[in-house]
Amino acid sequence: MTTTTSRALPLTAALLTGTVALYMTLVAFGNITDFGTNQAFVQHVLAMDTTFKDDDLMWRAVTSEGLQNAAYVAIIVWETVAALVLIAGTWFWLRGRAQARRVSTYGLLMVMLLFGAGFIGIGGEWFAMWQSEDWNGLDAATRAFLMSGVVLLVVQLAGERTGRAT
């Protein structure tokens, strides 16, 4: 492997990890500075008030404003921590540190869990978000999940090629 090739993959991992870090930073920043917009989104999804109102599903609805807000704050905290972990991962890649792969992997998995398990699984299926014409975030969640997954693959390849097993 040439020197150019051996440097290209870690640089690619750094830039792509940085891209997801930027995305998550902007998502968290937006949710913190414009708290009410996505708060309403979370409240409607959890309340299931724009779904088909199937009696077999409506028992799942969370109508307590306190629980809805707690869920939203937990989402924002998760987004913020994921952004910070990904920023650290990007920094480690750029500095050639051995922990770059491991830290980036943790951050990317946090994003994939949020959007995959949280928004697609729990929001989409458990709270039937797919039924709502007004409060359906499945397309955006799928994009974030797939983007993070592709970057995770690159990060794993970069770690293998550069001998970074951590």
Side-chain angles (χ1 to χ4, degrees):
M1 181 172 1
T2 67
T3 304
T4 305
T5 305
S6 65
R7 290 184 187 159
L9 209 46
L11 179 61
T12 302
L15 295 175
L16 291 177
T17 301
T19 299
V20 181
L22 173 64
Y23 172 72
M24 290 307 297
T25 300
L26 294 174
V27 167
F29 180 77
N31 284 336
I32 292 167
T33 59
D34 184 18
F35 190 85
T37 298
N38 283 329
Q39 178 188 29
F41 184 92
V42 170
Q43 287 175 331
H44 285 287
V45 169
L46 295 180
M48 300 173 69
D49 57 2
T50 59
T51 63
F52 299 163
K53 305 275 192 294
D54 183 340
D55 289 338
D56 292 332
L57 296 179
M58 290 308 293
W59 63 271
R60 299 176 184 178
V62 175
T63 56
S64 164
E65 192 173 316
L67 288 176
Q68 293 169 343
N69 288 337
Y72 183 47
V73 168
I75 290 168
I76 294 171
V77 169
W78 189 271
E79 291 166 345
T80 302
V81 172
L84 292 171
V85 171
L86 288 165
I87 290 167
T90 303
W91 175 255
F92 290 145
W93 279 115
L94 293 173
R95 305 298 283 169
R97 301 284 172 88
Q99 65 265 46
R101 179 181 182 198
R102 180 174 34 89
V103 173
S104 297
T105 297
Y106 292 152
L108 292 163
L109 283 174
M110 288 181 74
V111 174
M112 293 183 78
L113 287 171
L114 176 66
F115 288 100
F119 295 142
I120 296 171
I122 295 170
E125 290 303 317
W126 184 257
F127 291 106
M129 182 171 56
W130 65 270
Q131 294 179 2
S132 177
E133 291 183 25
D134 299 320
W135 302 101
N136 185 340
L138 289 175
D139 286 344
T142 301
R143 284 192 305 271
F145 181 81
L146 290 174
M147 174 180 62
S148 301
V150 169
V151 175
L152 182 60
L153 291 173
V154 171
V155 162
Q156 297 310 303
L157 288 172
E160 285 180 13
R161 293 282 174 96
T162 60
R164 290 190 174 109
T166 60

